[in-house]
Amino acid sequence: MPNSKSNKPAVTKKVAPKKVAPKKTAVKKIVAKKTVAKKATPKKSWVTQTKAELFNKSDTFCVLPWIHLHTTPTGQAGPCCISTSCADNIGVGNSNRDSLEELVNSPKMKKLRVDMINGVKNAECDNCHRHDEKGVPSARADFNNTWQTLPKIMDIVKATEKDGTVKDFKMKYFDIRFSNICNFKCRTCGSAFSSQWEQEDIKSKEKTGIPFWAEIVPKGNRKAFLDEIVAQVPNFEIAYFAGGEPLITDEHYVLLDYMIKTGNTDIELRYNSNISNFKYKKKDVFKLWNMFTKPIKIYASIDHIGDRAEYIRHGTVWKTIEENFKRIKEERNIKIEVNTVYSIFNAITISHFYKFMIDNHYYTPESGIWTLYCMNAPEHLSVHVLPEDYKAQADQQLDLTISYMTDLGFRENQIDQIKQAKSWLNSKHTWAEQSQEFKEELCRLDDLRGETFEQTFPELQHLYKKPVSLRP
Protein backbone atom coordinates (compact mmCIF):
# COMPACT_ATOMS: atom_id res chain seq x y z
CA MET A 1 0.00 0.00 0.00
CA PRO A 2 1.46 3.45 -0.92
CA ASN A 3 2.67 5.64 1.90
CA SER A 4 -0.07 8.22 1.83
CA LYS A 5 1.63 10.32 4.52
CA SER A 6 4.60 11.38 2.18
CA ASN A 7 4.24 14.36 -0.16
CA LYS A 8 7.77 13.90 -1.65
CA PRO A 9 8.29 12.67 -5.21
CA ALA A 10 10.02 9.35 -5.73
CA VAL A 11 13.89 9.49 -5.94
CA THR A 12 15.31 9.22 -9.50
CA LYS A 13 18.00 6.69 -10.20
CA LYS A 14 20.92 7.29 -12.73
CA VAL A 15 21.35 4.27 -14.94
CA ALA A 16 23.96 5.54 -17.52
CA PRO A 17 25.83 8.88 -18.12
CA LYS A 18 24.43 9.34 -21.60
CA LYS A 19 20.86 8.58 -20.69
CA VAL A 20 18.82 10.14 -17.94
CA ALA A 21 15.56 8.59 -17.00
CA PRO A 22 12.60 10.97 -16.89
CA LYS A 23 11.31 11.94 -13.47
CA LYS A 24 8.42 9.96 -12.16
CA THR A 25 6.04 11.85 -9.98
CA ALA A 26 4.53 9.83 -7.17
CA VAL A 27 0.76 9.84 -7.34
CA LYS A 28 -0.93 10.30 -4.01
CA LYS A 29 -3.72 7.78 -3.68
CA ILE A 30 -6.70 8.79 -1.65
CA VAL A 31 -7.94 5.96 0.54
CA ALA A 32 -11.57 6.17 1.49
CA LYS A 33 -12.07 5.92 5.22
CA LYS A 34 -14.52 3.34 6.42
CA THR A 35 -17.44 4.95 8.20
CA VAL A 36 -18.51 3.02 11.29
CA ALA A 37 -22.22 3.30 11.92
CA LYS A 38 -23.00 4.55 15.35
CA LYS A 39 -25.09 2.23 17.41
CA ALA A 40 -28.56 3.65 17.92
CA THR A 41 -29.18 4.47 21.53
CA PRO A 42 -32.02 2.24 22.73
CA LYS A 43 -35.16 4.22 23.36
CA LYS A 44 -35.65 4.49 27.07
CA SER A 45 -38.87 2.82 28.14
CA TRP A 46 -41.36 4.73 30.25
CA VAL A 47 -42.08 1.40 32.00
CA THR A 48 -39.70 1.48 34.95
CA GLN A 49 -40.94 -1.43 37.07
CA THR A 50 -39.10 -4.73 37.37
CA LYS A 51 -40.67 -8.03 36.43
CA ALA A 52 -41.24 -8.90 40.10
CA GLU A 53 -42.93 -5.55 40.74
CA LEU A 54 -45.37 -6.06 37.87
CA PHE A 55 -45.98 -9.80 37.86
CA ASN A 56 -45.85 -10.54 41.59
CA LYS A 57 -46.52 -7.34 43.55
CA SER A 58 -48.83 -5.19 41.45
CA ASP A 59 -52.56 -5.50 42.13
CA THR A 60 -53.47 -4.03 38.73
CA PHE A 61 -51.05 -5.55 36.21
CA CYS A 62 -52.06 -8.46 33.99
CA VAL A 63 -49.87 -9.68 31.15
CA LEU A 64 -52.70 -10.67 28.80
CA PRO A 65 -53.21 -7.33 26.97
CA TRP A 66 -49.63 -7.69 25.68
CA ILE A 67 -49.85 -11.27 24.38
CA HIS A 68 -53.54 -11.98 23.84
CA LEU A 69 -56.86 -10.75 22.54
CA HIS A 70 -60.19 -12.42 23.14
CA THR A 71 -63.36 -12.37 21.08
CA THR A 72 -66.70 -13.83 22.12
CA PRO A 73 -68.73 -16.01 19.73
CA THR A 74 -70.49 -12.84 18.51
CA GLY A 75 -67.17 -11.18 17.61
CA GLN A 76 -67.21 -8.79 20.56
CA ALA A 77 -63.62 -8.23 21.62
CA GLY A 78 -62.03 -7.79 25.02
CA PRO A 79 -58.69 -8.23 26.77
CA CYS A 80 -59.78 -11.64 28.12
CA CYS A 81 -62.83 -13.88 28.40
CA ILE A 82 -63.96 -12.51 31.79
CA SER A 83 -63.35 -8.83 31.06
CA THR A 84 -66.16 -6.29 31.32
CA SER A 85 -65.98 -5.72 27.57
CA CYS A 86 -67.12 -9.27 26.95
CA ALA A 87 -70.41 -8.64 28.74
CA ASP A 88 -71.32 -5.00 28.07
CA ASN A 89 -72.50 -5.40 24.45
CA ILE A 90 -69.87 -2.86 23.38
CA GLY A 91 -66.45 -4.44 23.81
CA VAL A 92 -63.18 -2.89 22.71
CA GLY A 93 -64.32 -3.47 19.13
CA ASN A 94 -65.76 -6.30 17.05
CA SER A 95 -64.07 -8.84 14.79
CA ASN A 96 -66.95 -8.60 12.32
CA ARG A 97 -65.88 -5.02 11.65
CA ASP A 98 -62.33 -4.43 12.90
CA SER A 99 -58.96 -5.96 12.05
CA LEU A 100 -56.81 -7.68 14.65
CA GLU A 101 -54.46 -4.68 14.71
CA GLU A 102 -57.37 -2.28 15.28
CA LEU A 103 -58.68 -4.38 18.14
CA VAL A 104 -55.30 -4.83 19.83
CA ASN A 105 -54.64 -1.09 19.76
CA SER A 106 -58.16 0.20 20.22
CA PRO A 107 -58.53 3.20 22.58
CA LYS A 108 -59.82 0.97 25.40
CA MET A 109 -56.97 -1.51 25.09
CA LYS A 110 -54.34 1.23 25.05
CA LYS A 111 -55.82 2.89 28.13
CA LEU A 112 -56.00 -0.46 29.92
CA ARG A 113 -52.28 -1.06 29.42
CA VAL A 114 -51.39 2.41 30.67
CA ASP A 115 -53.63 1.99 33.72
CA MET A 116 -52.15 -1.40 34.52
CA ILE A 117 -48.61 -0.03 34.43
CA ASN A 118 -49.57 3.04 36.47
CA GLY A 119 -51.32 1.03 39.20
CA VAL A 120 -54.82 2.23 38.32
CA LYS A 121 -57.65 -0.29 38.64
CA ASN A 122 -59.50 -0.30 35.32
CA ALA A 123 -63.20 -1.27 35.28
CA GLU A 124 -62.35 -3.73 32.52
CA CYS A 125 -60.91 -6.03 35.19
CA ASP A 126 -63.67 -5.77 37.82
CA ASN A 127 -64.20 -9.55 37.94
CA CYS A 128 -60.58 -10.22 38.87
CA HIS A 129 -60.48 -7.34 41.34
CA ARG A 130 -63.54 -8.79 43.09
CA HIS A 131 -61.86 -12.19 43.39
CA ASP A 132 -58.64 -10.57 44.66
CA GLU A 133 -60.56 -8.63 47.30
CA LYS A 134 -62.40 -11.76 48.49
CA GLY A 135 -59.16 -13.70 48.83
CA VAL A 136 -60.07 -15.96 45.91
CA PRO A 137 -57.16 -16.33 43.45
CA SER A 138 -58.02 -14.40 40.31
CA ALA A 139 -57.43 -15.22 36.67
CA ARG A 140 -55.14 -12.16 36.62
CA ALA A 141 -52.84 -13.69 39.22
CA ASP A 142 -52.93 -17.07 37.48
CA PHE A 143 -52.02 -15.65 34.07
CA ASN A 144 -49.18 -13.60 35.54
CA ASN A 145 -47.80 -16.68 37.24
CA THR A 146 -48.04 -18.72 34.03
CA TRP A 147 -46.53 -16.21 31.64
CA GLN A 148 -43.79 -14.51 33.65
CA THR A 149 -41.36 -17.23 32.53
CA LEU A 150 -41.93 -16.50 28.83
CA PRO A 151 -38.57 -15.49 27.32
CA LYS A 152 -38.25 -11.73 26.77
CA ILE A 153 -41.66 -11.05 28.27
CA MET A 154 -40.37 -7.85 29.89
CA ASP A 155 -39.01 -6.69 26.52
CA ILE A 156 -42.56 -6.98 25.17
CA VAL A 157 -43.98 -4.97 28.08
CA LYS A 158 -41.24 -2.33 28.05
CA ALA A 159 -41.68 -1.77 24.31
CA THR A 160 -45.15 -0.36 24.98
CA GLU A 161 -45.62 3.16 23.64
CA LYS A 162 -46.50 5.82 26.18
CA ASP A 163 -50.09 5.89 24.91
CA GLY A 164 -50.40 2.12 25.43
CA THR A 165 -49.84 1.08 21.83
CA VAL A 166 -48.23 -2.33 21.21
CA LYS A 167 -46.43 -2.49 17.88
CA ASP A 168 -45.83 -5.76 16.04
CA PHE A 169 -48.32 -7.66 18.21
CA LYS A 170 -47.59 -11.36 18.55
CA MET A 171 -50.37 -13.54 19.93
CA LYS A 172 -48.79 -15.95 22.39
CA TYR A 173 -52.04 -17.06 23.99
CA PHE A 174 -54.94 -17.89 21.67
CA ASP A 175 -58.54 -17.83 22.89
CA ILE A 176 -60.84 -16.73 20.09
CA ARG A 177 -64.42 -17.97 20.03
CA PHE A 178 -65.66 -17.94 16.43
CA SER A 179 -69.27 -18.99 17.02
CA ASN A 180 -71.74 -20.24 19.63
CA ILE A 181 -72.15 -23.70 18.07
CA CYS A 182 -72.95 -26.08 20.93
CA ASN A 183 -74.90 -29.29 21.47
CA PHE A 184 -75.73 -28.42 25.10
CA LYS A 185 -77.78 -25.71 26.80
CA CYS A 186 -76.37 -25.47 30.30
CA ARG A 187 -78.43 -23.67 32.94
CA THR A 188 -75.55 -21.35 33.85
CA CYS A 189 -74.93 -20.42 30.19
CA GLY A 190 -76.97 -18.52 27.58
CA SER A 191 -77.63 -17.94 23.89
CA ALA A 192 -74.40 -15.99 23.32
CA PHE A 193 -72.42 -19.18 24.02
CA SER A 194 -74.85 -21.87 22.93
CA SER A 195 -76.70 -22.28 19.64
CA GLN A 196 -79.11 -24.62 21.46
CA TRP A 197 -79.96 -21.82 23.89
CA GLU A 198 -80.30 -19.42 20.94
CA GLN A 199 -82.86 -21.61 19.17
CA GLU A 200 -84.79 -22.23 22.39
CA ASP A 201 -84.95 -18.52 23.25
CA ILE A 202 -86.26 -17.60 19.79
CA LYS A 203 -88.99 -20.25 19.94
CA SER A 204 -89.91 -19.17 23.48
CA LYS A 205 -90.19 -15.53 22.40
CA GLU A 206 -92.46 -16.48 19.51
CA LYS A 207 -94.80 -18.30 21.89
CA THR A 208 -94.67 -16.22 25.07
CA GLY A 209 -92.79 -13.01 24.30
CA ILE A 210 -90.10 -14.08 26.79
CA PRO A 211 -87.22 -13.45 26.69
CA PHE A 212 -87.94 -10.16 24.92
CA TRP A 213 -84.31 -9.79 23.76
CA ALA A 214 -84.13 -13.17 21.99
CA GLU A 215 -82.75 -12.95 18.44
CA ILE A 216 -80.40 -14.65 16.01
CA VAL A 217 -76.93 -14.32 17.51
CA PRO A 218 -74.30 -12.84 15.14
CA LYS A 219 -71.26 -15.06 14.63
CA GLY A 220 -67.66 -13.84 14.93
CA ASN A 221 -66.34 -15.99 12.09
CA ARG A 222 -65.61 -13.37 9.39
CA LYS A 223 -63.14 -14.99 7.00
CA ALA A 224 -60.71 -12.05 6.85
CA PHE A 225 -60.43 -12.10 10.65
CA LEU A 226 -59.95 -15.88 10.71
CA ASP A 227 -57.14 -15.45 8.15
CA GLU A 228 -55.44 -12.91 10.45
CA ILE A 229 -55.60 -15.37 13.34
CA VAL A 230 -54.26 -18.21 11.18
CA ALA A 231 -51.29 -15.98 10.28
CA GLN A 232 -50.54 -15.66 14.01
CA VAL A 233 -50.22 -19.45 14.49
CA PRO A 234 -46.37 -19.43 14.44
CA ASN A 235 -46.47 -17.12 17.48
CA PHE A 236 -48.76 -19.34 19.56
CA GLU A 237 -47.38 -20.87 22.74
CA ILE A 238 -50.80 -21.98 24.03
CA ALA A 239 -54.00 -22.40 22.04
CA TYR A 240 -57.10 -22.57 24.22
CA PHE A 241 -60.27 -23.74 22.51
CA ALA A 242 -63.63 -23.15 24.15
CA GLY A 243 -67.06 -22.31 22.90
CA GLY A 244 -69.75 -23.08 22.38
CA GLU A 245 -68.37 -26.57 22.06
CA PRO A 246 -65.01 -26.39 20.26
CA LEU A 247 -64.90 -30.02 19.14
CA ILE A 248 -67.86 -29.43 16.79
CA THR A 249 -66.65 -26.08 15.42
CA ASP A 250 -65.26 -25.69 11.87
CA GLU A 251 -62.66 -23.06 12.77
CA HIS A 252 -61.08 -25.35 15.37
CA TYR A 253 -60.20 -27.85 12.63
CA VAL A 254 -59.04 -25.12 10.24
CA LEU A 255 -56.47 -24.06 12.85
CA LEU A 256 -55.40 -27.62 13.76
CA ASP A 257 -54.93 -28.54 10.10
CA TYR A 258 -52.82 -25.40 9.53
CA MET A 259 -50.68 -26.11 12.61
CA ILE A 260 -49.97 -29.63 11.37
CA LYS A 261 -49.39 -28.53 7.76
CA THR A 262 -46.85 -25.86 8.77
CA GLY A 263 -45.09 -27.94 11.42
CA ASN A 264 -46.30 -25.85 14.35
CA THR A 265 -47.04 -28.95 16.38
CA ASP A 266 -45.19 -27.86 19.51
CA ILE A 267 -48.09 -25.61 20.53
CA GLU A 268 -49.76 -26.60 23.78
CA LEU A 269 -53.42 -27.33 23.04
CA ARG A 270 -55.97 -26.75 25.76
CA TYR A 271 -59.72 -27.34 25.67
CA ASN A 272 -62.78 -26.51 27.68
CA SER A 273 -65.15 -29.19 26.44
CA ASN A 274 -68.26 -31.07 27.46
CA ILE A 275 -66.45 -34.23 26.16
CA SER A 276 -69.64 -35.52 24.55
CA ASN A 277 -68.35 -35.92 20.99
CA PHE A 278 -64.89 -36.70 19.54
CA LYS A 279 -65.78 -36.99 15.86
CA TYR A 280 -66.84 -34.11 13.63
CA LYS A 281 -67.70 -34.61 9.96
CA LYS A 282 -64.73 -36.69 8.71
CA LYS A 283 -62.39 -35.54 11.46
CA ASP A 284 -61.22 -37.78 14.29
CA VAL A 285 -59.77 -35.44 16.87
CA PHE A 286 -57.70 -38.18 18.55
CA LYS A 287 -55.77 -38.75 15.31
CA LEU A 288 -55.08 -35.02 15.00
CA TRP A 289 -53.99 -34.73 18.63
CA ASN A 290 -51.45 -37.50 18.10
CA MET A 291 -49.58 -35.18 15.72
CA PHE A 292 -48.69 -32.77 18.54
CA THR A 293 -45.59 -33.08 20.71
CA LYS A 294 -46.95 -31.68 23.96
CA PRO A 295 -49.69 -33.33 26.02
CA ILE A 296 -53.20 -32.17 25.19
CA LYS A 297 -54.99 -30.63 28.18
CA ILE A 298 -58.74 -31.03 28.51
CA TYR A 299 -60.79 -29.25 31.13
CA ALA A 300 -63.98 -31.29 31.19
CA SER A 301 -67.05 -29.21 32.02
CA ILE A 302 -68.85 -31.42 34.53
CA ASP A 303 -71.01 -29.93 37.27
CA HIS A 304 -72.47 -33.09 38.82
CA ILE A 305 -73.27 -36.74 38.19
CA GLY A 306 -76.32 -38.65 36.99
CA ASP A 307 -79.65 -36.87 36.59
CA ARG A 308 -78.30 -33.74 38.29
CA ALA A 309 -75.60 -33.50 35.61
CA GLU A 310 -78.23 -33.95 32.89
CA TYR A 311 -80.39 -31.20 34.36
CA ILE A 312 -77.63 -28.62 34.91
CA ARG A 313 -76.03 -29.22 31.50
CA HIS A 314 -79.00 -30.09 29.31
CA GLY A 315 -77.86 -32.37 26.49
CA THR A 316 -75.73 -34.48 28.82
CA VAL A 317 -76.11 -38.23 28.70
CA TRP A 318 -74.25 -39.11 31.87
CA LYS A 319 -73.36 -42.64 30.78
CA THR A 320 -71.67 -41.27 27.62
CA ILE A 321 -69.78 -38.58 29.55
CA GLU A 322 -68.48 -41.13 32.05
CA GLU A 323 -67.34 -43.50 29.28
CA ASN A 324 -65.59 -40.67 27.42
CA PHE A 325 -63.89 -39.54 30.62
CA LYS A 326 -62.49 -43.05 31.10
CA ARG A 327 -61.28 -43.19 27.50
CA ILE A 328 -59.41 -39.89 27.79
CA LYS A 329 -57.72 -41.00 31.00
CA GLU A 330 -56.34 -44.02 29.15
CA GLU A 331 -54.69 -41.86 26.47
CA ARG A 332 -50.97 -41.23 27.05
CA ASN A 333 -50.81 -37.84 25.38
CA ILE A 334 -53.90 -36.33 27.03
CA LYS A 335 -54.28 -34.88 30.50
CA ILE A 336 -57.81 -34.35 31.73
CA GLU A 337 -59.00 -32.17 34.59
CA VAL A 338 -62.50 -31.38 35.79
CA ASN A 339 -63.82 -27.84 35.54
CA THR A 340 -66.92 -27.31 37.69
CA VAL A 341 -69.12 -24.24 37.93
CA TYR A 342 -69.93 -23.84 41.63
CA SER A 343 -73.58 -22.81 41.70
CA ILE A 344 -76.83 -23.10 43.61
CA PHE A 345 -77.44 -26.45 41.85
CA ASN A 346 -74.46 -28.33 43.32
CA ALA A 347 -73.66 -26.41 46.52
CA ILE A 348 -75.75 -28.62 48.83
CA THR A 349 -74.48 -31.92 47.42
CA ILE A 350 -70.92 -31.03 46.39
CA SER A 351 -69.36 -33.63 48.72
CA HIS A 352 -71.38 -36.40 47.02
CA PHE A 353 -70.06 -35.28 43.63
CA TYR A 354 -66.43 -35.24 44.79
CA LYS A 355 -66.76 -38.56 46.60
CA PHE A 356 -68.11 -40.26 43.46
CA MET A 357 -65.25 -38.94 41.33
CA ILE A 358 -62.64 -39.86 43.93
CA ASP A 359 -64.02 -43.32 44.71
CA ASN A 360 -64.05 -44.16 40.98
CA HIS A 361 -60.44 -42.98 40.66
CA TYR A 362 -61.41 -40.19 38.26
CA TYR A 363 -59.75 -37.78 40.68
CA THR A 364 -56.65 -38.76 42.64
CA PRO A 365 -53.83 -37.02 44.55
CA GLU A 366 -51.78 -37.39 41.34
CA SER A 367 -54.38 -35.64 39.16
CA GLY A 368 -54.23 -32.07 37.97
CA ILE A 369 -56.21 -29.49 39.89
CA TRP A 370 -59.99 -29.83 39.72
CA THR A 371 -61.12 -26.24 39.21
CA LEU A 372 -64.14 -25.18 41.23
CA TYR A 373 -65.11 -21.94 39.49
CA CYS A 374 -66.89 -19.51 41.79
CA MET A 375 -69.52 -18.24 39.38
CA ASN A 376 -70.67 -14.64 39.62
CA ALA A 377 -73.22 -14.55 36.79
CA PRO A 378 -76.05 -15.24 36.21
CA GLU A 379 -76.55 -13.84 39.69
CA HIS A 380 -79.82 -15.66 40.35
CA LEU A 381 -77.95 -19.01 40.14
CA SER A 382 -74.89 -18.00 42.17
CA VAL A 383 -74.33 -19.60 45.58
CA HIS A 384 -74.76 -16.09 46.98
CA VAL A 385 -78.52 -16.56 46.46
CA LEU A 386 -78.77 -19.33 49.06
CA PRO A 387 -80.54 -18.26 52.27
CA GLU A 388 -78.49 -18.43 55.50
CA ASP A 389 -79.64 -21.89 56.63
CA TYR A 390 -78.87 -23.35 53.21
CA LYS A 391 -75.48 -21.67 53.21
CA ALA A 392 -74.72 -23.41 56.49
CA GLN A 393 -75.42 -26.75 54.77
CA ALA A 394 -73.30 -25.77 51.78
CA ASP A 395 -70.46 -24.77 54.10
CA GLN A 396 -70.69 -28.14 55.85
CA GLN A 397 -70.53 -29.89 52.46
CA LEU A 398 -67.28 -28.10 51.65
CA ASP A 399 -65.84 -29.06 55.06
CA LEU A 400 -66.74 -32.71 54.46
CA THR A 401 -65.00 -32.59 51.08
CA ILE A 402 -61.89 -31.02 52.60
CA SER A 403 -61.73 -33.69 55.32
CA TYR A 404 -62.21 -36.54 52.84
CA MET A 405 -59.52 -35.25 50.50
CA THR A 406 -57.12 -34.55 53.38
CA ASP A 407 -57.52 -38.08 54.74
CA LEU A 408 -56.75 -39.52 51.28
CA GLY A 409 -53.58 -37.47 50.87
CA PHE A 410 -54.69 -34.96 48.26
CA ARG A 411 -52.29 -32.08 47.66
CA GLU A 412 -52.75 -28.71 49.29
CA ASN A 413 -53.27 -26.93 45.96
CA GLN A 414 -56.07 -29.37 45.16
CA ILE A 415 -57.77 -28.76 48.51
CA ASP A 416 -57.31 -24.99 48.17
CA GLN A 417 -60.02 -24.95 45.50
CA ILE A 418 -62.54 -26.05 48.13
CA LYS A 419 -61.25 -23.63 50.76
CA GLN A 420 -61.57 -20.74 48.35
CA ALA A 421 -65.17 -21.70 47.64
CA LYS A 422 -65.89 -21.38 51.37
CA SER A 423 -64.77 -17.74 51.28
CA TRP A 424 -66.83 -17.08 48.19
CA LEU A 425 -69.98 -18.74 49.54
CA ASN A 426 -70.29 -16.33 52.46
CA SER A 427 -69.00 -13.18 50.78
CA LYS A 428 -72.43 -11.99 49.61
CA HIS A 429 -76.12 -12.54 50.44
CA THR A 430 -78.59 -11.93 47.61
CA TRP A 431 -81.67 -14.09 48.23
CA ALA A 432 -83.89 -11.06 48.84
CA GLU A 433 -82.95 -9.43 45.52
CA GLN A 434 -82.64 -12.53 43.33
CA SER A 435 -85.24 -15.01 44.62
CA GLN A 436 -88.01 -13.88 42.25
CA GLU A 437 -85.84 -14.21 39.14
CA PHE A 438 -84.52 -17.54 40.43
CA LYS A 439 -88.05 -18.93 40.65
CA GLU A 440 -89.33 -17.43 37.39
CA GLU A 441 -86.39 -18.68 35.32
CA LEU A 442 -86.56 -22.18 36.82
CA CYS A 443 -90.25 -22.34 36.01
CA ARG A 444 -89.83 -21.02 32.46
CA LEU A 445 -87.04 -23.41 31.53
CA ASP A 446 -88.58 -26.42 33.27
CA ASP A 447 -91.73 -25.92 31.16
CA LEU A 448 -89.74 -25.53 27.94
CA ARG A 449 -87.48 -28.52 28.58
CA GLY A 450 -89.90 -30.87 30.29
CA GLU A 451 -87.80 -30.97 33.44
CA THR A 452 -88.69 -30.74 37.13
CA PHE A 453 -86.39 -28.90 39.49
CA GLU A 454 -88.01 -30.24 42.68
CA GLN A 455 -87.63 -33.88 41.64
CA THR A 456 -84.01 -33.50 40.53
CA PHE A 457 -82.94 -31.43 43.54
CA PRO A 458 -85.18 -32.50 46.47
CA GLU A 459 -82.67 -30.91 48.87
CA LEU A 460 -83.59 -27.50 47.37
CA GLN A 461 -87.31 -28.00 46.77
CA HIS A 462 -88.36 -25.71 49.63
CA LEU A 463 -86.60 -22.81 47.93
CA TYR A 464 -88.85 -23.17 44.95
CA LYS A 465 -92.50 -22.33 44.83
CA LYS A 466 -94.01 -21.43 41.50
CA PRO A 467 -94.56 -17.64 41.47
CA VAL A 468 -98.19 -16.49 41.31
CA SER A 469 -97.39 -14.63 38.08
CA LEU A 470 -96.56 -17.93 36.36
CA ARG A 471 -99.31 -20.17 37.69
CA PRO A 472 -101.97 -21.42 35.24
Side-chain angles (χ1 to χ4, degrees):
M1 179 177 177
N3 184 354
S4 60
K5 289 182 180 179
S6 174
N7 292 319
K8 295 179 182 180
V11 178
T12 57
K13 184 179 179 183
K14 293 181 182 178
V15 187
K18 294 181 181 179
K19 239 177 180 183
V20 178
K23 291 182 180 180
K24 294 181 180 179
T25 307
V27 179
K28 183 179 179 181
K29 291 187 178 180
I30 300 171
V31 180
K33 291 182 179 180
K34 292 181 180 179
T35 55
V36 180
K38 291 183 178 180
K39 289 184 179 179
T41 305
K43 187 178 177 182
K44 191 173 182 180
S45 174
W46 66 279
V47 181
T48 59
Q49 295 96 323
T50 64
K51 182 193 283 189
E53 287 171 332
L54 289 177
F55 283 79
N56 306 122
K57 297 178 182 178
S58 171
D59 59 1
T60 60
F61 178 79
C62 176
V63 70
L64 284 197
W66 280 265
I67 61 171
H68 169 69
L69 181 90
H70 175 77
T71 62
T72 70
T74 64
Q76 190 168 312
C80 78
C81 66
I82 58 171
S83 62
T84 300
S85 278
C86 288
D88 64 4
N89 295 320
I90 301 172
V92 303
N94 194 293
S95 64
N96 285 314
R97 176 187 67 239
D98 306 313
S99 69
L100 179 62
E101 169 66 23
E102 289 168 336
L103 294 173
V104 167
N105 286 313
S106 65
K108 286 184 179 179
M109 288 293 288
K110 291 194 290 187
K111 185 178 188 305
L112 176 62
R113 295 187 191 103
V114 172
D115 284 348
M116 285 180 167
I117 295 295
N118 288 334
V120 177
K121 288 188 176 181
N122 190 299
E124 196 68 72
C125 307
D126 279 351
N127 278 326
C128 277
H129 295 324
R130 273 196 292 268
H131 279 80
D132 287 336
E133 289 160 8
K134 302 295 183 186
V136 177
S138 63
R140 181 189 72 83
D142 183 55
F143 282 122
N144 284 345
N145 184 56
T146 298
W147 290 100
Q148 65 179 319
T149 57
L150 182 72
K152 298 185 178 180
I153 186 59
M154 280 305 292
D155 291 345
I156 296 172
V157 175
K158 284 184 175 287
T160 310
E161 299 288 316
K162 198 154 189 179
D163 70 346
T165 298
V166 169
K167 292 183 177 179
D168 191 26
F169 173 74
K170 289 181 171 58
M171 184 178 284
K172 301 294 183 182
Y173 176 54
F174 163 87
D175 178 11
I176 300 289
R177 321 281 173 94
F178 292 102
S179 78
N180 67 344
I181 297 298
C182 189
N183 54 340
F184 282 14
K185 42 187 176 183
C186 307
R187 290 276 177 155
T188 55
C189 193
S191 59
F193 294 92
S194 166
S195 53
Q196 292 292 312
W197 259 98
E198 176 187 6
Q199 293 165 21
E200 182 178 70
D201 280 347
I202 291 171
K203 288 179 182 177
S204 176
K205 182 181 179 181
E206 290 171 354
K207 290 181 180 179
T208 67
I210 300 173
F212 69 89
W213 40 259
E215 61 182 1
I216 294 174
V217 176
K219 310 298 184 280
N221 54 0
R222 183 170 63 97
K223 186 180 184 305
F225 184 70
L226 173 60
D227 290 344
E228 288 185 284
I229 299 303
V230 169
Q232 287 280 340
V233 162
N235 299 320
F236 290 178
E237 297 283 339
I238 295 174
Y240 174 62
F241 294 96
E245 172 49 42
L247 298 184
I248 57 171
T249 304
D250 283 333
E251 292 78 12
H252 163 250
Y253 293 97
V254 168
L255 284 162
L256 252 59
D257 285 344
Y258 185 80
M259 291 173 188
I260 294 167
K261 179 182 176 182
T262 57
N264 289 284
T265 53
D266 60 343
I267 297 168
E268 182 180 308
L269 302 182
R270 296 181 180 181
Y271 293 84
N272 190 300
S273 170
N274 59 39
I275 64 167
S276 63
N277 194 341
F278 297 130
K279 289 190 176 179
Y280 178 67
K281 297 181 179 178
K282 294 182 179 181
K283 303 286 187 181
D284 184 331
V285 75
F286 282 98
K287 290 182 180 178
L288 295 174
W289 285 340
N290 282 331
M291 304 293 287
F292 287 80
T293 59
K294 294 179 180 176
I296 312 300
K297 291 186 178 179
I298 297 179
Y299 306 102
S301 298
I302 305 174
D303 290 348
H304 222 306
I305 57 174
D307 59 346
R308 287 184 172 89
E310 294 174 352
Y311 182 100
I312 300 170
R313 294 187 175 271
H314 185 97
T316 296
V317 176
W318 175 247
K319 184 180 178 182
T320 299
I321 300 302
E322 192 173 5
E323 287 173 353
N324 287 345
F325 195 95
K326 290 176 183 176
R327 179 184 176 183
I328 293 171
K329 282 188 72 68
E330 291 170 357
E331 295 286 331
R332 284 187 172 185
N333 68 324
I334 304 176
K335 294 181 179 179
I336 188 167
E337 298 175 11
V338 179
N339 188 5
T340 295
V341 175
Y342 185 48
S343 73
I344 195 169
F345 295 117
N346 53 25
I348 305 298
T349 53
I350 198 76
S351 72
H352 303 276
F353 181 22
Y354 270 80
K355 190 174 188 302
F356 175 88
M357 298 295 281
I358 291 169
D359 290 352
N360 283 281
H361 307 290
Y362 300 150
Y363 192 44
T364 71
E366 291 73 40
S367 299
I369 296 173
W370 177 340
T371 302
L372 191 59
Y373 177 68
C374 297
M375 183 196 74
N376 190 53
E379 289 186 35
H380 67 276
L381 298 178
S382 164
V383 291
H384 295 150
V385 171
L386 289 167
E388 292 299 310
D389 52 339
Y390 282 84
K391 277 188 178 168
Q393 294 179 54
D395 197 61
Q396 184 181 44
Q397 283 283 303
L398 293 171
D399 285 337
L400 286 170
T401 307
I402 291 170
S403 296
Y404 193 57
M405 291 175 68
T406 301
D407 290 345
L408 292 174
F410 277 81
R411 305 188 310 272
E412 191 62 34
N413 59 356
Q414 292 173 308
I415 296 171
D416 280 345
Q417 290 287 315
I418 316 297
K419 292 179 178 178
Q420 290 153 19
K422 280 174 65 68
S423 301
W424 181 254
L425 172 67
N426 294 296
S427 64
K428 202 173 176 182
H429 309 283
T430 61
W431 176 250
E433 306 99 80
Q434 298 293 331
S435 60
Q436 185 68 13
E437 185 171 3
F438 165 72
K439 294 172 183 177
E440 288 180 355
E441 273 299 284
L442 282 185
C443 178
R444 183 178 79 84
L445 293 178
D446 276 2
D447 287 347
L448 283 170
R449 300 178 182 182
E451 296 172 335
T452 309
F453 173 78
E454 305 99 304
Q455 289 180 9
T456 309
F457 303 94
E459 67 279 3
L460 294 171
Q461 63 178 316
H462 295 298
L463 283 182
Y464 178 69
K465 186 178 180 183
K466 187 172 283 194
V468 174
S469 60
L470 295 176
R471 291 176 191 170

